[in-house]
Amino acid sequence: MTTVLIADDQPMQRFGFRMLLESQDDMTVTGEAANGLEALELTQHHQPDVVLMDIRMPLLDGIEATRRIVRTAPRTRVLIVTTFDLDRYAYDGLRAGASGFLVKDALPEEMLSGIRAVACGDAVVAPSLTRRLLDAYVQHLPVSPGGPASVDARLAPLTEREREILTVIGQGWSNTEIAERLHLAESTVKTHVGRILAKTGSRDRVQAVILAYDTHLVTPQ
């Protein structure tokens, strides 16, 4: 059973999410929060698998709430829910540690599959959409004072092959594309991806993409 906390300042939006989630045999709603502080408190109390997090909320916005939840409740995954697919705050939410983002007008099956994916440790944002988002907001990335990406300490534990795979993950390649283009078995690619996440401390694929941009392995086109 996947437990979900709904954080949104709009009562009707929370009601709609609850109706959808409780129609599923494998999901249950552990609580509803009308602001970021409530989301943080209820997460600490219930330890849900997934928090559906609105961005614009009173008292504490969804970005800061996400940052605190990731820090204090590491088993809980945060799924940003935004009005527009390129909401200017969505990128900041991903950098704060969210495992992906969905658009509020997504189809019900898309919302449900996204929640299930996040609960299993996967990222919700499709590789192509991830790259579009990061390309649009790459100006938010901090400027690294050092030299090339290869000297970044976060990349030091990676083998040459792992660094190559992290680069193409950042370029939006799926596991299937990586396997086909690099002539690897898909199971081998999954093993490499798992090791990359573990070595770099990335929570999921979205965070790995951000790392690839952050360390300048990938630059916007």
Side-chain angles (χ1 to χ4, degrees), residues 146-214:
S150 59
V151 302
D152 192 289
R154 289 169 291 180
L155 302 178
L158 301 181
T159 65
E160 183 176 349
R161 173 64 86 179
E162 289 166 351
R163 192 172 301 180
E164 178 184 22
I165 290 176
L166 176 58
T167 300
V168 296
I169 287 174
Q171 291 171 346
W173 294 18
S174 67
N175 284 356
T176 300
E177 291 172 326
I178 295 172
E180 291 175 350
R181 299 181 188 184
L182 299 185
H183 308 290
L184 299 170
E186 193 160 348
S187 59
T188 301
V189 173
K190 291 179 180 178
T191 298
H192 280 307
V193 172
R195 289 174 178 167
I196 290 167
L197 297 182
K199 289 182 178 181
T200 61
S202 301
R203 287 165 58 88
D204 50 43
R205 197 182 189 95
V206 169
Q207 300 304 310
V209 172
I210 290 175
L211 176 66
Y213 274 73
D214 230 0

Side-chain angles (χ1 to χ4, degrees), residues 31-82:
E32 297 181 15
N35 58 67
L37 284 179
E38 285 186 2
L40 184 60
E41 293 169 359
L42 290 174
T43 297
Q44 296 302 315
H45 180 71
H46 294 292
Q47 296 290 309
D49 297 313
V50 179
V51 177
L52 286 183
M53 182 72 75
D54 188 21
I55 293 178
R56 302 175 189 179
M57 294 187 292
L59 300 184
L60 187 70
D61 65 48
I63 295 171
E64 182 58 29
T66 295
R67 186 175 292 111
R68 297 186 191 183
I69 287 171
V70 168
R71 185 171 64 246
T72 61
R75 70 171 297 276
T76 296
R77 301 289 175 138
V78 178
L79 185 53
I80 295 289
V81 184
T82 181

